[in-house]
Amino acid sequence: MLPVKHIEKAAPLSDEQLLAQYQSGGDQQVLATLYLRYTDLVYGTAMKYLKEQELAKDAVMNIYQELVRKLQQQQVTTFRSWLYVVTKNHCLMFIRKQKNSVVVEFQPDLMQSEDFSHLDEALEKEKELQKLESCIENLAAEQQQAIRLFYLEGKCYNEIVTATGQEWNKIRSLVQNGRRNLKNCMEK
């Protein structure tokens, strides 16, 4: 078998081919070749959530280490979409850990506070999410499916076309009209 760099020069392998090759042999050079194609996606997603360059760079490295382990245990059909979800989840877990590890100096006079504004904000966000879910459920079935695939699962139009069998322009129309209908519903 030729080394990966020679194979890449001869004829670039698809994501699926590289993934299958890594999962069957465990060659990290193959995984690195595949991962390098999407480091900009990973870094951009990490910047979106973490808002700091150094944290995003660390996330890029940490996610690679996660892939080494996860790809040996999981079946992945569309690497790019799967990697986006892994990246997003990694960032959200990092943020959650940071929030949970905040050290606050104990101040006895603040133990019984009458300020419950943080509860009001949380309730307001929960109401907004419930309203959004209700609005999504009120969409036509095709719009609902397109909105869920596009926004909640992070799929692109082409992936939705493949999943649903609809035409590309139909998917685009469903997403745009669904977004407009959601906006109108949320503003009511």
Side-chain angles (χ1 to χ4, degrees):
M1 180 188 279
L2 292 172
V4 174
K5 40 189 155 185
H6 296 291
I7 293 172
E8 280 291 298
K9 289 179 183 175
L13 296 176
S14 70
D15 291 353
E16 292 79 19
Q17 290 170 321
L18 286 171
L19 188 57
Q21 193 174 350
Y22 172 71
Q23 289 179 324
S24 66
D27 183 359
Q28 286 205 18
Q29 181 66 36
V30 173
L31 179 60
T33 301
L34 178 59
Y35 187 65
L36 284 173
R37 292 179 180 178
Y38 297 103
T39 53
D40 288 344
L41 169 76
V42 173
Y43 180 76
T45 304
M47 278 297 294
K48 174 182 170 185
Y49 287 98
L50 303 177
K51 312 270 191 257
E52 290 184 33
Q53 287 182 353
E54 291 306 315
L55 292 176
K57 288 177 186 176
D58 289 345
V60 170
M61 298 306 293
N62 292 334
I63 289 167
Y64 178 80
Q65 293 303 317
E66 278 187 47
L67 297 185
V68 170
R69 181 178 32 82
K70 287 185 176 185
L71 286 174
Q72 290 296 333
Q73 301 166 353
Q74 295 182 3
Q75 281 299 98
V76 177
T77 53
T78 308
F79 180 77
R80 184 180 188 275
S81 300
W82 180 83
L83 179 61
Y84 174 80
V85 172
V86 167
T87 303
K88 181 178 78 167
N89 289 341
H90 175 87
C91 293
L92 292 174
M93 289 302 292
F94 178 84
I95 292 168
R96 190 173 297 135
K97 284 179 184 175
Q98 292 300 311
K99 285 182 180 177
N100 290 339
S101 66
V102 173
V103 178
V104 178
E105 186 177 319
F106 178 71
Q107 296 176 356
D109 56 323
L110 295 179
M111 284 300 290
Q112 188 89 21
S113 174
E114 302 243 345
D115 180 19
F116 294 108
S117 62
H118 64 286
L119 295 177
D120 292 339
E121 292 171 12
L123 286 173
E124 196 62 38
K125 284 183 182 180
E126 183 63 29
K127 284 180 185 177
E128 284 291 311
L129 288 173
Q130 287 175 351
K131 185 175 181 181
L132 178 61
E133 185 60 37
S134 174
C135 287
I136 289 174
E137 289 175 6
N138 288 331
L139 293 174
E142 287 181 326
Q143 282 183 1
Q144 187 179 129
Q145 181 185 29
I147 289 293
R148 288 186 188 280
L149 290 171
F150 188 77
Y151 287 105
L152 301 180
E153 295 183 25
K155 295 191 182 293
C156 69
Y157 287 170
N158 291 335
E159 292 171 327
I160 298 172
V161 165
T162 303
T164 63
Q166 300 274 357
E167 292 182 20
W168 191 90
N169 285 332
K170 174 79 173 175
I171 295 300
R172 185 185 63 152
S173 176
L174 288 170
V175 170
Q176 289 175 348
N177 290 336
R179 180 176 49 218
R180 185 188 67 244
N181 290 339
L182 281 177
K183 180 181 178 205
N184 291 339
C185 179
M186 291 297 289
E187 289 175 352
K188 286 182 184 177

